[in-house]
Amino acid sequence: MVETQQLLQWVLDALEDLKAKEVSVLDVRGKTSITDYMVVASGTSERHVRALADKVVEKLAEHKFKPLGVEGEHSRDWVLVDAGDVIVHVMLPETRSFYQLEKLWQVDIAQEQAPA
């Protein structure tokens, strides 16, 4: 079984290899049960977004790890790679700005559940 930190490092190495922009690692443990970390990165073009996602899958395969799924492969602006404990979102900057995933996942659960 692969350690979560090792999986995260493989993802970050793959993104660095192809010069991903503005890479953010969001620790979402305690905020969701679907994953431990979300990695959000930007590509400079539709082709770069796709190449970054492919590189993540390729890097995981080098370590004999198969992602649970890849979504948006035919999309032009956002590809998601689900590696279980680490979910990777690669987007064009304008898509990233629109969805603001970092802001969404930084919401404090205690604040969210506080009575109004």
Side-chain angles (χ1 to χ4, degrees), residues 65-107:
F65 186 91
K66 183 176 167 107
L68 299 174
V70 178
E71 299 292 329
E73 292 175 284
H74 303 291
S75 169
R76 298 174 184 263
D77 59 350
W78 183 354
V79 181
L80 178 146
V81 179
D82 184 348
D85 292 338
V86 179
I87 293 178
V88 185
H89 299 271
V90 184
M91 306 178 193
L92 287 175
E94 51 273 16
T95 303
R96 185 173 179 173
S97 177
F98 181 80
Y99 286 101
Q100 298 184 17
L101 292 181
E102 290 97 336
K103 187 175 180 182
L104 174 72
W105 286 104
Q106 287 175 354
V107 171

